[in-house]
Amino acid sequence: MADNYPAATRKHVLDSEALLSANRYDGAGYLAGYAVECTLKTLILVETRKGGGGHDLNSLSAQALRLAGLPTQKTAAYVKGPMITWLLYGPAGWRETLRYEAEGTVGRADCEAWVSEARRLHDAVIIPMKWTGVIT
């Protein structure tokens, strides 16, 4: 893969968990969302050989779901349910601009939920895709 989204997913999940343990919610929350983004881009890359563009998790999720439904799909087995992720993009959810915002922007409850979602997706998508040889 040109962009190593699976490795980035793992790295960002581990870092977000470490930062959460240290009560560093802003950094943990940002990295958790970025891990989700990398998971979605992995699914898109497997289907198209091009990574999805941008940071909008809603758009990336919709694109990954659409691709998983194609007759030539390789990723349907790794996409569960009507939504890949509930971690939405926008003012009420994760956004890539969190890295520029003031300390204390991300609260503990949101951070814990986002880190949990990043771990869930990593374990439900990235690990099985590696086990089955879809990604290396």
Side-chain angles (χ1 to χ4, degrees):
M1 290 188 177
D3 290 314
N4 198 342
Y5 294 122
T9 299
R10 181 177 184 279
K11 175 178 67 171
H12 297 317
V13 167
L14 292 173
D15 288 348
S16 70
E17 290 171 339
L19 288 169
L20 175 59
S21 293
N23 298 321
R24 301 284 308 200
Y25 305 128
D26 295 299
Y30 170 73
L31 288 175
Y34 198 46
V36 170
E37 178 183 320
C38 290
T39 299
L40 296 171
K41 287 181 176 181
T42 296
L43 290 164
I44 294 165
L45 186 62
V46 166
E47 294 292 356
T48 66
R49 301 211 186 281
K50 297 181 272 184
H55 304 286
D56 185 328
L57 299 182
N58 295 334
S59 175
L60 291 169
S61 184
Q63 185 178 1
L65 279 170
R66 183 183 58 75
L67 291 168
L70 294 176
T72 59
Q73 54 73 24
K74 300 175 193 104
T75 58
Y78 311 100
V79 176
K80 308 289 190 234
M83 290 177 41
I84 295 173
T85 182
W86 59 264
L87 187 57
L88 298 178
Y89 176 85
W94 184 86
R95 55 200 176 278
E96 84 279 2
T97 58
L98 285 173
R99 64 183 178 252
Y100 304 118
E101 294 181 22
E103 187 172 344
T105 298
V106 178
R108 180 182 183 146
D110 282 339
C111 181
E112 288 174 342
W114 296 354
V115 170
S116 176
E117 176 68 351
R119 169 54 72 184
R120 181 192 71 80
L121 283 174
H122 174 268
D123 293 355
V125 175
I126 301 299
I127 291 175
M129 288 179 93
K130 284 187 175 220
W131 285 342
T132 58
V134 173
I135 58 176
T136 55

